[in-house]
């Protein structure tokens, strides 16, 4: 069954507050630097704002039978400025487009976040793959690591320069199963493939996997090092290519591809064992 009838459907507007407690919870769950985000939430808090309204789409009665497979394919974020702590905002989501291919629905979901005065703070477009049956069978069942095994949070290393061609030192991150539960609480992304072994295998995965937007948060931390403190990022385009299992280590690579007036373009990838899991192109406000 196609989800084409969802095109144009709107969810929200939903009022909420970017509370100090929620921002701090999110910083801790993503391994970000708390000393950097005292006045604003980090740019990756955009994921929590997305999942303030995305559950309304996922829980839509017409969508329910299509969520056995529910994965993120692509993500675009555009920040219009900082995400101030304590700010009251309004979040609205809408289905921009639905394409059907090989039994899967590719749902483009637009989200807009405005301040109390109506000024735009953030826009995003997500591509969700939804289906009633997996495209492939899972591999052999090797179980899951211990619930608290494998967590790793390397600090973001200092940059050599802000010139075109500069390559940032890589850093490593890994998430335990407990980390994934913490991230789900902080972000609102409770897709069971991130905590339920059987649900993940029923979706065609070998086991539970790290949230795509947690991996994106690690990339934003690498990109933010190039920019201004409270509003470092202008735009980020992400492609989620391959899943990461809990306790598996991933390395973040960043380099400056171009320098423009007041901004630089940062190419990024997150890789594990020589395979790119997530790639990103990020426009950064230079510090």
């Amino acid at each position: 069954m196609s989800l084409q009838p969802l095109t144009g459907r709107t969810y929200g507007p939903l009022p909420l507050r970017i509370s100090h407690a929620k921002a701090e919870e999110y910083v801790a769950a993503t391994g970000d630097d708390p000393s950097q985000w005292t006045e604003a939430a980090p740019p990756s808090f955009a994921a929590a704002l997305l999942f303030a309204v995305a559950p309304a789409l996922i829980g839509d009665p017409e969508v329910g039978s299509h969520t056995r497979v529910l994965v993120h394919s692509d993500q675009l974020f555009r920040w219009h400025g900082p995400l101030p702590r304590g700010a009251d905002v309004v979040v609205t989501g809408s289905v921009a487009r639905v394409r059907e291919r090989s039994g899967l629905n590719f749902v483009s979901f637009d989200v807009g976040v405005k301040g109390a005065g109506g000024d735009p703070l953030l826009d995003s477009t997500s591509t969700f793959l939804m289906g009633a049956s997996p495209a492939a069978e899972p591999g052999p069942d090797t179980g899951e690591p211990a619930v608290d095994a494998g967590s790793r949070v390397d600090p973001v290393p200092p940059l050599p320069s802000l010139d075109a061609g500069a390559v940032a030192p890589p850093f490593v991150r890994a998430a335990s199963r407990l980390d994934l539960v913490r991230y789900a609480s902080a972000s609102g992304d409770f897709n069971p493939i991130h905590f339920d072994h059987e649900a993940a295998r029923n979706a065609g995965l070998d086991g539970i996997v790290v949230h795509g937007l947690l991996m994106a948060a690690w990339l934003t931390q690498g990109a933010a090092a190039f920019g201004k403190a409270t509003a470092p990022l202008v735009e980020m385009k992400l492609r989620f290519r391959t899943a990461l299992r809990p306790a598996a280590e991933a390395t973040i690579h960043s380099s400056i591809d171009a320098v423009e007036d007041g901004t630089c373009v940062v190419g990024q990838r997150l890789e594990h064992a020589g395979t790119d899991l997530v790639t990103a192109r990020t426009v950064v406000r230079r510090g």
Side-chain angles (χ1 to χ4, degrees):
M1 174 184 166
S2 172
L3 293 176
Q4 290 278 0
L6 292 178
T7 303
R9 190 167 299 180
T10 297
Y11 303 88
L14 173 69
L16 59 85
R17 174 168 292 178
I18 304 175
S19 71
H20 293 274
K22 198 65 180 176
E24 289 170 3
E25 180 189 13
Y26 191 87
V27 167
T30 56
D32 213 327
D33 179 1
S35 68
Q36 186 176 0
W37 306 111
T38 57
E39 298 179 7
S44 63
F45 192 79
L49 295 171
L50 162 62
F51 272 90
V53 70
L57 164 67
I58 297 166
D60 190 310
E62 294 184 36
V63 176
S65 62
H66 294 269
T67 56
R68 180 178 175 186
V69 176
L70 174 58
V71 297
H72 226 129
S73 172
D74 298 286
Q75 181 65 50
L76 169 66
F77 290 120
R78 289 193 180 97
W79 295 268
H80 302 288
L83 302 172
R85 286 191 180 203
D88 291 313
V89 301
V90 177
V91 186
T92 304
S94 62
V95 178
R97 184 184 181 194
V98 178
R99 294 175 291 123
E100 186 179 9
R101 187 171 67 201
S102 302
L104 288 174
N105 286 276
F106 294 71
V107 180
S108 295
F109 188 59
D110 290 344
V111 171
V113 180
K114 294 183 178 181
D119 296 330
L121 296 178
L122 172 74
D123 296 304
S124 70
T125 298
S126 312
T127 302
F128 295 122
L129 275 61
M130 298 182 176
S133 58
E137 293 298 316
D141 191 343
T142 58
E144 301 290 352
V147 68
D148 58 351
S151 181
R152 179 171 175 178
V153 180
D154 283 6
V156 179
L159 302 172
S161 76
L162 293 177
D163 301 322
V167 177
F171 61 99
V172 176
R173 294 290 170 87
S176 68
R177 290 165 57 204
L178 185 57
D179 291 331
L180 300 188
V181 174
R182 292 187 178 116
Y183 178 77
S185 175
S187 68
D189 183 354
F190 286 98
N191 187 337
I193 66 172
H194 304 304
F195 60 85
D196 184 323
H197 180 73
E198 291 306 318
R201 289 189 61 80
N202 285 337
L205 300 166
D206 292 348
I208 65 174
V209 295
V210 176
H211 299 73
L213 288 177
L214 175 55
M215 295 190 288
W218 299 340
L219 288 169
T220 67
Q221 292 159 24
F226 291 91
K228 293 183 176 180
T230 59
L233 306 187
V234 179
E235 179 180 286
M236 189 175 208
K237 295 180 180 180
L238 297 136
R239 172 153 292 183
F240 303 103
R241 299 177 179 274
T242 305
L244 178 69
R245 295 295 307 280
E249 294 186 349
T251 304
I252 295 88
H253 302 271
S254 306
S255 60
I256 297 182
D257 293 343
V259 175
E260 301 170 358
D261 185 21
T263 65
C264 58
V265 178
V266 180
Q268 296 185 281
R269 60 189 181 91
L270 184 144
E271 61 89 12
H272 167 72
T275 299
D276 287 348
L277 310 178
V278 187
T279 54
R281 178 187 181 275
T282 309
V283 180
V284 179
R285 294 182 182 92
R286 299 182 72 190

